[in-house]
Amino acid sequence: MTEATRKDGRTVDELRTVTIERGWSDQAEGSALISFGRTKVLCTASFTNGVPRWKSGSGKGWVTAEYAMLPRATNDRTDRESVKGRIGGRTHEISRLIGRSLRAVVDMKALGENTIVIDCDVLQADGGTRTAAITGAYVALADAIEWARGKKFIGQRSTPLLDTVSAVSVGIIDGAPMLDLAYVEDVRAETDMNVVVTGRGLFVEVQGTAEGAPFDRAELNSLLDLALKGTEELAALQRSALETAAGVGE
Amino acid sequence: MTEATRKDGRTVDELRTVTIERGWSDQAEGSALISFGRTKVLCTASFTNGVPRWKSGSGKGWVTAEYAMLPRATNDRTDRESVKGRIGGRTHEISRLIGRSLRAVVDMKALGENTIVIDCDVLQADGGTRTAAITGAYVALADAIEWARGKKFIGQRSTPLLDTVSAVSVGIIDGAPMLDLAYVEDVRAETDMNVVVTGRGLFVEVQGTAEGAPFDRAELNSLLDLALKGTEELAALQRSALETAAGVGE
Amino acid sequence: MTEATRKDGRTVDELRTVTIERGWSDQAEGSALISFGRTKVLCTASFTNGVPRWKSGSGKGWVTAEYAMLPRATNDRTDRESVKGRIGGRTHEISRLIGRSLRAVVDMKALGENTIVIDCDVLQADGGTRTAAITGAYVALADAIEWARGKKFIGQRSTPLLDTVSAVSVGIIDGAPMLDLAYVEDVRAETDMNVVVTGRGLFVEVQGTAEGAPFDRAELNSLLDLALKGTEELAALQRSALETAAGVGE
Amino acid sequence: MTEATRKDGRTVDELRTVTIERGWSDQAEGSALISFGRTKVLCTASFTNGVPRWKSGSGKGWVTAEYAMLPRATNDRTDRESVKGRIGGRTHEISRLIGRSLRAVVDMKALGENTIVIDCDVLQADGGTRTAAITGAYVALADAIEWARGKKFIGQRSTPLLDTVSAVSVGIIDGAPMLDLAYVEDVRAETDMNVVVTGRGLFVEVQGTAEGAPFDRAELNSLLDLALKGTEELAALQRSALETAAGVGE
Amino acid sequence: MTEATRKDGRTVDELRTVTIERGWSDQAEGSALISFGRTKVLCTASFTNGVPRWKSGSGKGWVTAEYAMLPRATNDRTDRESVKGRIGGRTHEISRLIGRSLRAVVDMKALGENTIVIDCDVLQADGGTRTAAITGAYVALADAIEWARGKKFIGQRSTPLLDTVSAVSVGIIDGAPMLDLAYVEDVRAETDMNVVVTGRGLFVEVQGTAEGAPFDRAELNSLLDLALKGTEELAALQRSALETAAGVGE
Amino acid sequence: MTEATRKDGRTVDELRTVTIERGWSDQAEGSALISFGRTKVLCTASFTNGVPRWKSGSGKGWVTAEYAMLPRATNDRTDRESVKGRIGGRTHEISRLIGRSLRAVVDMKALGENTIVIDCDVLQADGGTRTAAITGAYVALADAIEWARGKKFIGQRSTPLLDTVSAVSVGIIDGAPMLDLAYVEDVRAETDMNVVVTGRGLFVEVQGTAEGAPFDRAELNSLLDLALKGTEELAALQRSALETAAGVGE
């Protein structure tokens, strides 16, 4: 399968160059500027002691996320959602996906009555923005939790993070399953799938859509194989970023 | 697997009672009141000759969908989105899912420069509203296309429908994969998956989410098996509804 | 006056066929699916113990209503108000009218600090939607009050309902006053009047508008005569619906 | 009936002091600052050659109105609707009422493809703002039509105004029907009615609402008698204002 | 400099006729209808005992302002911001400017935990609406403070007003600096500056903008000279208005 | 004056470290990531051939700007304006300021019927975001114009840029005028002024506000001296950035 090469020279089962600049922000409790090739997403984690009223008294914390794109992240300028006065369906959908993905690896009891909001702002978009956002958001989240531990908002023995989590896109192009689609590939894909996987290799989300022809069970299996390979590599990169000393923001 | 029974007496691989009241509306070009157990969704198809400006001159048609819930469809009253002045993320997400699912079985060239808007309004909700909506929407869509053929907006030899499409939810409850979750099951499910499948048994959408513990590959496979069984039965019910004479609205 | 016949064969002082399907909803505390000919309105009553903050401590309850129309209730599809992000003037006006009409027959002291919200959703529109809504809303309201009495939210000796209330449209077409206008009549009417009347025959609302030529006092009197006749018949139908056993929802 | 006196010394069938300052605005094509006692409404008419697209080619004109209140027109400050981001039901309802009332006396064919927008802004509110608005709006409208005739947008022989129109509120307070309610009366009224009448004494709108106890036919008749008396006097004041030389704005 | 005359006959350093009708409103705690030539702004001050939550317990008061324009204040009708559903940038900017200007002369400690909201509604616009608004707002503010002192919301020895404040526009037209621009001048100005000055001649705001060619330091100085002359005259007019007996509203 | 030092070690007339990373974006026609100390603003210029309809046929171009802040650019997280559904006054005001500042140095005739939209997104905020935005926006604008010249949208002999433009904040802290305020200084400043100056040293905007005590003419003059010194240095940095080879995005 790995013989076919792509426009950018990658094999079908190869990730783009992934970089994680941890601690990019001087202001946030955790942050990471992540890039999947030319896709760049700034992820910041804002920690607040306390929870929304509807969670109050539950002894549990809350993690949520908001995704957005700068107007000129894309090749053509997109109108700002703040100017339009409403958030589009795609933005809502991705924000909800990121939030669910992170909550899947958080023990809310261990987090205690604390809230973490993750903002994922796409500075430049070249396909895979939601998967880069999830992967970077995990790093920002992990740092915010360590920050809170340092401030004693979270106990020394509490381990709110049950596992790591990362995500990658896969798709079928001209009949061939491929890993981590760039924008030019994404628009041509017959089937497009985003897969969110924990460090232990379990699925958190599987979202596959036939953009062109519907797909059969064998294709689905090939895509899942690729996704598991990609997220395993991303998990290693996350671990490595979290082991090195963070930037100024820490 | 079929020995275990559920609260409502069903086996794990059994659909709820599904009824499709075709031609419910006197006004719409196509319509169906579908029920999956106590879940009731009114699907209407509005046919317009012509397409939105951005499609004009392409020779292709357009199919889109809007999903909404009456405020007291649910057990507790929900505020109207029209009163709140904005559509929530969940509504947007489901509207987009229904639209994509229908477009997957429509040949836009054969539809010609015509637009069909499908409205799916949940009159009563008891789990599976989006899957009932897709399944009923197909029936409304098929009738609207026949109506348009009768009015000569679509040629006699054109076959805009490439296949049928239906959807069902599956999930893992107490470790057991189950078909077509009612609301009380849905809230307890560790994993929840909505699967959209064509009449030929190909996947259009696979949307699986770990609400509790992440799931492994074997569980994913069991869920897909159930979904294929359920959508095969739904496809048969759709065919049967479309073969009988329609109601007053036709 | 009763000799002239109309397009649908009715005499000028004849209501359309009115049906009231009480207890349509499995979820609401009270509900009725009412039809005035092809006009169908689903009315649900949501009971909440407690009142809005501005009423708190007054010892009095609150009753309010919201009216809306499904996008394809009408002959041409109307854009959803939730999508437009604002509620139109007509919707607001009718919601306020329904709320006032119901409150006119409720003793708020006897209701106690409880809130009832009536949702009137027009599933199909063929003229007279606001009058059908008021007439059906009363039935849903009555059932919600009985439900609350069963749950002891309202005392056994309290009688929050002072009277019944129903409504009907009347209008002048080609110079002739007529009862209960269907849509094709409504658009041709020179004068259009909605009248809300209690079971005892007292006026709650009189809303007459000259759509074409202004009207004189004699015409006004003829319209009021018709309206009193129509609402008397509707009151009888309400009583009859409330005397029979309710549907599944009860 | 005229013996009983009111808080401000009026008899039950007496209007408050009504003044009409015609031509108040230097900018508008027609304008009037009208006062009913302490209620002051600035009415401006904006004339545009041409009609909205949906009227284009019909040979007919269009007249519409917008009503609003300054935040401190009332005794307690009200939040601006522009700040809230949405127009309330009451505002919508009154704007629609004013527009309908004016259109009832305009021959749209004679107006030709021209549009007149009437803005009624309440500078100070003390009851009866909608009736003062209609009465003042007529004067602004009449002046805008004369302005347009001067500019040859309307032919010399065209008579777009079929009649004059004015409005007054009536109500039942402590069982007694009264004319032109001030705010302190309005809040106490059991029944409140706004009546719009042409110069020839024909009804354009009759909007009666039981705020307290429902009303019977005899009470309704007494209220209509008062309303006809009041609007006859208002019509005379309108004629007198239009006969005198207008202000600076003309 | 004073030889050159303008379209309306003024010399370059001459204000338009300024009138201040104090106590115009019967409802507000302080009010002034101010005119700068044909520009007319109604300023009302609403006093409330208490402060917004974020100020509560601080012992300090709050003063804020809202600016708006009637739709036909201008030569062409402008759509209402309430109808558009959002407030434009210009409106926001001017509201903020008025609020800051007033707060600059208020000792919030001496005001105590009280809130004053100033509404400035432009009834007619002919240039300089924001400067007229600030100048009139001060008069309304001063009266509201005296009203509050009378009601003992403010102590007899407290002097919340540290100074008076007024504002004027200046600009460069055809190379010549001029005072208090009317609309026809404003649109032609190369540089436009609004200056807010206290009674003692100190600057609160200096907002100069090159609409055409950028301006040099000498021009800036000439404009500041004119502005100080104009605001000195306005301060005298404010004092004079506040010394005379107020209108009905007091 | 230069002896006094500040918290970050600067003298009163010293800028923070300013860096301009030209060509940061791979997508935009011009871009710059500018930093004034810890304040970081991403400026992108989007070039479109053609102008808004209201400019069409004028032979002139259009330049506009939008400013926004990421939610966690600040020390505490701010809610997104897209989520709130409306743009705040401050955002509007700064967007308008940036647009005006850029237009002051553009010859719209020479630009021809082309539109350039500059987006200034604050990634990290530490005071002076609007002045950094203007200074960076000029660089993005200049590059977009060169890009358009390369694409022949602008003629080889056209020189749409009349001058360079940059901006800096100045303020009075503890009585001492200072240049380029960081956030901790800004909140303490008695007077705060933003000054926009062309490369030739002419003023485009002077916006001074007394946050605490009003200021006198001498203080105003000192602030203007500092601003001219600062913008002269910024103009040199802009020239230097534009002379070096741009980044990947070019």
Side-chain angles (χ1 to χ4, degrees):
Chain A
M1 193 206 286
T2 56
E3 286 138 279
T5 56
R6 306 200 234 170
K7 216 178 171 183
D8 56 8
R10 285 187 286 153
T11 56
V12 294
D13 63 350
E14 193 179 346
L15 291 174
R16 288 175 285 179
T17 305
V18 173
T19 65
I20 302 177
E21 196 177 329
R22 185 181 157 213
W24 189 91
S25 162
D26 292 329
Q27 310 273 27
E29 283 75 55
S31 66
L33 178 61
I34 192 165
S35 61
F36 276 29
R38 304 211 306 183
T39 290
K40 298 184 191 182
V41 185
L42 177 55
C43 307
T44 58
S46 298
F47 185 97
T48 322
N49 188 226
V51 282
R53 202 177 314 175
W54 55 274
K55 277 252 152 183
S56 184
S58 68
K60 292 183 182 173
W62 186 238
V63 173
T64 187
E66 288 186 11
Y67 167 97
M69 225 187 242
L70 293 198
R72 195 55 200 277
T74 44
N75 194 47
D76 291 313
R77 187 176 183 274
T78 325
D79 285 343
R80 287 176 192 270
E81 295 187 319
S82 59
V83 168
K84 287 188 284 186
R86 49 175 72 190
I87 288 180
R90 183 183 172 276
T91 299
H92 260 305
E93 199 167 324
I94 299 177
S95 293
R96 287 156 53 92
L97 170 65
I98 300 170
R100 281 199 311 269
S101 298
L102 297 173
R103 287 192 294 272
V105 296
V106 175
D107 175 349
M108 293 298 170
K109 273 249 135 104
L111 180 56
E113 290 204 4
N114 295 300
T115 301
I116 300 176
V117 180
I118 310 285
D119 287 287
C120 298
D121 285 89
V122 179
L123 306 187
Q124 192 160 282
D126 186 27
T129 61
R130 80 189 72 187
T131 56
I134 291 167
T135 307
Y138 173 78
V139 174
L141 174 67
D143 267 347
I145 285 173
E146 281 320 296
W147 178 92
R149 200 191 299 284
K151 297 286 185 188
K152 317 247 162 157
F153 289 125
I154 294 176
Q156 293 311 306
R157 296 191 195 164
S158 289
T159 53
L161 287 175
L162 302 166
D163 202 343
T164 68
V165 68
S166 68
V168 78
S169 71
V170 287
I172 300 173
I173 298 165
D174 298 335
M178 294 193 186
L179 178 64
D180 186 21
L181 309 188
Y183 182 72
V184 291
E185 295 172 333
D186 190 64
V187 293
R188 289 182 50 224
E190 293 108 49
T191 287
D192 181 21
M193 185 174 288
N194 291 292
V195 186
V196 184
V197 180
T198 69
R200 289 189 187 91
L202 296 170
F203 296 105
V204 170
E205 290 267 344
V206 174
Q207 296 204 338
T209 298
E211 304 285 353
F215 52 99
D216 64 22
R217 189 96 180 234
E219 290 171 314
L220 176 53
N221 281 327
S222 299
L223 291 171
L224 293 169
D225 290 339
L226 280 176
L228 289 169
K229 176 179 184 296
T231 49
E232 196 178 324
E233 292 174 28
L234 290 169
L237 288 163
Q238 288 176 321
R239 274 193 304 275
S240 150
L242 285 164
E243 277 157 13
T244 61
V248 192
E250 291 310 287
Chain B
M1 191 208 285
T2 55
E3 288 138 279
T5 54
R6 307 198 233 171
K7 216 180 171 180
D8 55 8
R10 285 187 286 154
T11 57
V12 293
D13 63 350
E14 192 179 347
L15 291 174
R16 288 176 286 179
T17 304
V18 173
T19 66
I20 303 177
E21 197 176 329
R22 186 181 155 214
W24 189 91
S25 162
D26 292 328
Q27 310 273 26
E29 284 73 55
S31 66
L33 178 61
I34 191 166
S35 62
F36 275 30
R38 304 211 308 183
T39 290
K40 298 184 191 181
V41 185
L42 177 56
C43 306
T44 58
S46 299
F47 185 95
T48 323
N49 188 226
V51 281
R53 202 177 315 175
W54 55 273
K55 276 254 154 182
S56 184
S58 67
K60 292 184 182 173
W62 185 239
V63 173
T64 187
E66 288 186 10
Y67 166 98
M69 227 187 240
L70 293 198
R72 195 54 201 278
T74 43
N75 194 46
D76 291 313
R77 186 176 184 276
T78 324
D79 285 343
R80 287 175 193 271
E81 295 186 321
S82 59
V83 169
K84 287 189 282 186
R86 51 174 73 192
I87 288 180
R90 183 183 171 277
T91 297
H92 260 305
E93 201 168 322
I94 298 177
S95 294
R96 287 155 54 92
L97 170 65
I98 300 170
R100 281 199 311 270
S101 298
L102 297 174
R103 287 192 293 274
V105 296
V106 175
D107 175 349
M108 293 299 170
K109 273 249 136 109
L111 180 56
E113 290 205 5
N114 295 300
T115 301
I116 301 176
V117 180
I118 310 286
D119 287 287
C120 299
D121 285 89
V122 180
L123 305 187
Q124 192 159 281
D126 185 28
T129 62
R130 79 188 72 186
T131 56
I134 291 167
T135 307
Y138 173 77
V139 174
L141 174 66
D143 267 345
I145 285 173
E146 282 319 297
W147 177 91
R149 200 190 299 283
K151 297 283 184 190
K152 318 246 164 160
F153 289 124
I154 294 177
Q156 292 310 308
R157 297 192 194 162
S158 288
T159 52
L161 287 175
L162 303 165
D163 201 344
T164 68
V165 66
S166 68
V168 78
S169 72
V170 288
I172 300 174
I173 298 165
D174 299 334
M178 294 193 185
L179 178 65
D180 185 23
L181 310 188
Y183 182 72
V184 290
E185 294 172 332
D186 190 65
V187 293
R188 290 182 50 225
E190 292 108 50
T191 287
D192 180 21
M193 185 173 288
N194 291 293
V195 186
V196 183
V197 180
T198 69
R200 291 190 185 88
L202 296 171
F203 295 104
V204 170
E205 290 268 344
V206 175
Q207 296 204 339
T209 298
E211 303 286 351
F215 52 99
D216 64 23
R217 190 95 180 235
E219 290 171 315
L220 175 53
N221 281 327
S222 299
L223 291 172
L224 294 169
D225 291 338
L226 281 176
L228 289 170
K229 175 179 185 296
T231 49
E232 197 179 323
E233 292 174 28
L234 290 168
L237 288 163
Q238 288 175 321
R239 273 194 305 274
S240 150
L242 285 165
E243 278 158 13
T244 61
V248 191
E250 291 309 290
Chain C
M1 191 205 288
T2 56
E3 287 138 279
T5 55
R6 306 199 236 171
K7 217 179 171 183
D8 55 8
R10 286 188 286 154
T11 55
V12 293
D13 63 351
E14 193 179 347
L15 291 174
R16 289 176 285 179
T17 304
V18 173
T19 65
I20 302 177
E21 197 177 328
R22 186 180 156 214
W24 189 90
S25 163
D26 292 329
Q27 310 273 27
E29 282 75 55
S31 66
L33 178 61
I34 191 165
S35 61
F36 276 29
R38 305 210 308 181
T39 289
K40 298 184 191 180
V41 185
L42 177 56
C43 306
T44 58
S46 298
F47 184 96
T48 323
N49 189 226
V51 282
R53 202 177 315 174
W54 54 275
K55 277 252 152 181
S56 184
S58 67
K60 292 184 182 172
W62 185 237
V63 173
T64 185
E66 288 185 11
Y67 167 97
M69 226 188 241
L70 294 197
R72 195 53 201 278
T74 43
N75 194 46
D76 290 313
R77 187 176 184 275
T78 325
D79 284 344
R80 286 175 192 271
E81 295 187 321
S82 59
V83 168
K84 286 190 283 186
R86 50 175 73 191
I87 288 179
R90 182 183 172 278
T91 298
H92 260 305
E93 200 167 323
I94 298 177
S95 294
R96 288 155 52 92
L97 170 65
I98 300 170
R100 281 199 310 269
S101 298
L102 296 174
R103 287 193 294 274
V105 295
V106 175
D107 175 348
M108 294 297 170
K109 272 250 137 100
L111 180 57
E113 291 204 4
N114 296 300
T115 300
I116 301 176
V117 180
I118 310 285
D119 287 287
C120 298
D121 285 88
V122 180
L123 305 187
Q124 192 161 281
D126 186 27
T129 61
R130 79 189 70 188
T131 55
I134 291 167
T135 307
Y138 173 77
V139 174
L141 174 66
D143 267 347
I145 285 173
E146 282 318 296
W147 178 92
R149 198 190 300 283
K151 295 285 185 190
K152 319 246 161 157
F153 289 125
I154 293 176
Q156 292 310 308
R157 297 193 193 162
S158 288
T159 52
L161 287 175
L162 302 166
D163 202 343
T164 68
V165 66
S166 68
V168 78
S169 71
V170 286
I172 299 174
I173 298 166
D174 298 334
M178 295 193 186
L179 178 64
D180 186 23
L181 310 188
Y183 181 72
V184 289
E185 295 172 332
D186 190 63
V187 293
R188 289 182 50 224
E190 293 107 50
T191 287
D192 180 21
M193 184 173 288
N194 291 292
V195 186
V196 184
V197 181
T198 68
R200 289 191 187 90
L202 296 172
F203 295 104
V204 170
E205 291 267 344
V206 174
Q207 296 204 339
T209 298
E211 303 286 352
F215 51 100
D216 63 23
R217 191 99 179 231
E219 289 171 315
L220 176 53
N221 281 327
S222 299
L223 292 171
L224 294 169
D225 290 339
L226 281 176
L228 289 170
K229 174 177 186 297
T231 49
E232 196 177 323
E233 292 173 30
L234 291 168
L237 288 163
Q238 288 175 320
R239 273 193 306 274
S240 148
L242 286 164
E243 278 158 13
T244 61
V248 192
E250 292 308 289
Chain D
M1 192 207 287
T2 56
E3 287 137 279
T5 54
R6 306 198 236 171
K7 216 179 171 183
D8 54 9
R10 285 188 285 154
T11 56
V12 292
D13 63 351
E14 192 178 349
L15 291 174
R16 289 176 285 179
T17 304
V18 173
T19 66
I20 303 177
E21 196 176 330
R22 186 180 157 216
W24 190 91
S25 163
D26 292 329
Q27 310 273 26
E29 283 74 56
S31 66
L33 178 61
I34 191 165
S35 61
F36 276 28
R38 305 211 307 182
T39 290
K40 298 184 191 180
V41 185
L42 178 56
C43 305
T44 58
S46 298
F47 184 95
T48 322
N49 188 225
V51 281
R53 202 176 316 174
W54 55 274
K55 277 254 154 182
S56 185
S58 67
K60 292 184 181 172
W62 186 239
V63 173
T64 187
E66 288 186 11
Y67 166 97
M69 226 187 241
L70 293 198
R72 195 54 200 277
T74 43
N75 194 46
D76 290 314
R77 186 176 184 276
T78 324
D79 284 344
R80 286 175 193 271
E81 295 186 321
S82 59
V83 168
K84 286 189 283 186
R86 51 175 73 191
I87 288 180
R90 183 183 172 277
T91 298
H92 261 304
E93 200 168 321
I94 298 177
S95 293
R96 287 156 53 92
L97 170 65
I98 300 170
R100 280 199 312 268
S101 298
L102 297 173
R103 286 193 293 275
V105 296
V106 175
D107 175 348
M108 293 298 171
K109 272 249 137 104
L111 180 56
E113 291 205 3
N114 295 300
T115 301
I116 300 176
V117 180
I118 310 286
D119 287 287
C120 299
D121 285 89
V122 180
L123 305 187
Q124 192 160 281
D126 186 28
T129 61
R130 80 188 70 187
T131 55
I134 290 167
T135 307
Y138 173 77
V139 174
L141 173 67
D143 266 347
I145 285 173
E146 281 319 296
W147 177 92
R149 199 189 299 282
K151 295 285 184 189
K152 318 246 161 157
F153 289 124
I154 293 176
Q156 292 312 307
R157 297 194 193 161
S158 289
T159 51
L161 287 175
L162 303 166
D163 202 342
T164 69
V165 67
S166 67
V168 78
S169 71
V170 286
I172 300 174
I173 298 166
D174 298 335
M178 295 193 186
L179 178 64
D180 186 22
L181 310 188
Y183 181 71
V184 289
E185 294 172 333
D186 190 64
V187 293
R188 289 181 51 225
E190 292 109 49
T191 287
D192 181 21
M193 185 173 288
N194 291 292
V195 186
V196 183
V197 181
T198 68
R200 291 191 186 89
L202 297 171
F203 295 105
V204 170
E205 290 267 344
V206 175
Q207 296 203 338
T209 298
E211 303 286 353
F215 51 100
D216 63 24
R217 189 97 180 233
E219 289 171 314
L220 176 53
N221 281 326
S222 299
L223 291 172
L224 292 169
D225 291 338
L226 280 176
L228 288 170
K229 175 178 186 297
T231 49
E232 196 179 323
E233 291 173 28
L234 290 168
L237 288 163
Q238 288 174 322
R239 272 193 306 274
S240 148
L242 286 164
E243 278 157 13
T244 62
V248 192
E250 292 308 291
Chain E
M1 193 205 286
T2 55
E3 287 138 280
T5 53
R6 306 199 235 171
K7 216 179 171 183
D8 55 8
R10 286 187 285 155
T11 56
V12 294
D13 63 350
E14 192 179 348
L15 292 174
R16 288 176 284 179
T17 304
V18 174
T19 66
I20 303 177
E21 196 176 330
R22 187 183 157 213
W24 189 91
S25 162
D26 292 329
Q27 311 273 27
E29 283 73 55
S31 67
L33 177 62
I34 191 165
S35 62
F36 275 30
R38 304 212 306 182
T39 290
K40 298 185 192 181
V41 186
L42 177 56
C43 306
T44 57
S46 298
F47 185 96
T48 322
N49 188 226
V51 282
R53 203 177 314 175
W54 55 274
K55 277 254 154 181
S56 183
S58 68
K60 290 184 183 173
W62 186 239
V63 173
T64 187
E66 288 186 11
Y67 166 96
M69 225 186 242
L70 293 198
R72 194 54 201 275
T74 43
N75 194 47
D76 290 313
R77 187 175 183 275
T78 325
D79 285 344
R80 288 175 192 271
E81 296 186 319
S82 58
V83 169
K84 286 189 284 186
R86 50 175 71 192
I87 288 179
R90 183 183 172 276
T91 298
H92 260 305
E93 201 167 321
I94 298 177
S95 294
R96 287 155 54 91
L97 170 66
I98 300 170
R100 281 198 312 268
S101 298
L102 297 173
R103 287 192 293 274
V105 297
V106 175
D107 175 349
M108 293 298 170
K109 273 248 137 105
L111 180 56
E113 291 205 3
N114 295 301
T115 300
I116 300 176
V117 180
I118 310 285
D119 287 287
C120 299
D121 285 88
V122 180
L123 305 188
Q124 191 160 282
D126 185 28
T129 61
R130 78 190 72 188
T131 56
I134 291 167
T135 307
Y138 173 76
V139 174
L141 174 66
D143 267 347
I145 285 173
E146 281 319 296
W147 177 92
R149 200 190 299 283
K151 296 284 183 188
K152 318 247 163 159
F153 289 123
I154 294 176
Q156 293 311 308
R157 296 192 195 166
S158 288
T159 52
L161 287 175
L162 302 166
D163 202 343
T164 68
V165 68
S166 68
V168 78
S169 72
V170 287
I172 299 174
I173 298 166
D174 298 333
M178 295 193 185
L179 178 64
D180 186 22
L181 309 188
Y183 181 71
V184 290
E185 294 172 332
D186 189 63
V187 293
R188 289 182 51 225
E190 292 108 51
T191 288
D192 181 21
M193 185 173 287
N194 291 292
V195 186
V196 184
V197 181
T198 68
R200 290 191 186 87
L202 296 171
F203 295 104
V204 170
E205 290 268 344
V206 175
Q207 295 203 340
T209 298
E211 303 286 352
F215 51 100
D216 65 23
R217 190 95 180 232
E219 289 171 313
L220 176 53
N221 281 327
S222 300
L223 291 172
L224 293 169
D225 290 339
L226 280 176
L228 289 170
K229 175 178 185 297
T231 48
E232 197 179 322
E233 292 173 28
L234 289 169
L237 287 163
Q238 288 174 321
R239 273 192 306 275
S240 149
L242 285 165
E243 278 158 13
T244 60
V248 191
E250 293 307 291
Chain F
M1 193 208 285
T2 57
E3 287 138 279
T5 55
R6 307 199 234 169
K7 214 178 173 185
D8 56 8
R10 286 187 286 153
T11 56
V12 293
D13 63 351
E14 194 180 348
L15 290 174
R16 288 175 286 179
T17 304
V18 173
T19 66
I20 302 176
E21 196 176 329
R22 184 182 157 214
W24 189 91
S25 162
D26 292 329
Q27 311 273 27
E29 283 74 56
S31 67
L33 177 61
I34 191 166
S35 62
F36 276 28
R38 305 211 306 183
T39 290
K40 297 183 192 183
V41 185
L42 178 55
C43 306
T44 58
S46 298
F47 184 96
T48 323
N49 188 225
V51 281
R53 202 177 314 176
W54 55 274
K55 277 253 153 182
S56 185
S58 68
K60 292 184 183 174
W62 185 238
V63 173
T64 187
E66 288 185 11
Y67 166 97
M69 226 187 242
L70 293 197
R72 195 55 201 276
T74 43
N75 194 46
D76 291 313
R77 187 176 183 274
T78 324
D79 284 344
R80 287 175 193 271
E81 295 186 320
S82 59
V83 169
K84 286 188 283 185
R86 50 175 73 191
I87 288 180
R90 182 183 173 278
T91 297
H92 261 305
E93 199 168 323
I94 298 177
S95 293
R96 287 155 53 92
L97 170 65
I98 299 170
R100 281 198 312 269
S101 299
L102 297 173
R103 287 193 293 273
V105 296
V106 175
D107 175 348
M108 293 299 171
K109 272 250 137 105
L111 180 56
E113 291 204 4
N114 295 300
T115 301
I116 301 175
V117 180
I118 310 285
D119 287 287
C120 298
D121 285 89
V122 180
L123 306 187
Q124 191 160 280
D126 185 28
T129 61
R130 79 189 71 186
T131 55
I134 291 167
T135 307
Y138 173 77
V139 174
L141 173 67
D143 267 347
I145 285 173
E146 281 319 297
W147 177 92
R149 200 190 300 282
K151 297 284 184 188
K152 318 248 162 158
F153 289 124
I154 294 176
Q156 292 312 306
R157 297 194 193 161
S158 289
T159 52
L161 287 175
L162 303 166
D163 202 343
T164 68
V165 67
S166 68
V168 78
S169 72
V170 287
I172 300 173
I173 298 166
D174 298 335
M178 294 192 186
L179 178 64
D180 186 23
L181 311 188
Y183 181 72
V184 290
E185 295 171 333
D186 190 64
V187 294
R188 289 182 50 224
E190 293 109 50
T191 288
D192 181 20
M193 186 174 287
N194 291 293
V195 186
V196 184
V197 180
T198 69
R200 290 191 186 89
L202 297 171
F203 295 104
V204 169
E205 290 267 344
V206 175
Q207 296 203 338
T209 298
E211 303 285 352
F215 52 99
D216 64 23
R217 190 98 180 231
E219 289 171 315
L220 176 53
N221 281 327
S222 300
L223 290 172
L224 292 169
D225 290 340
L226 280 176
L228 288 170
K229 175 179 185 297
T231 49
E232 196 178 324
E233 292 173 28
L234 290 168
L237 288 163
Q238 287 175 322
R239 273 193 305 275
S240 149
L242 285 164
E243 278 157 12
T244 61
V248 191
E250 291 310 288

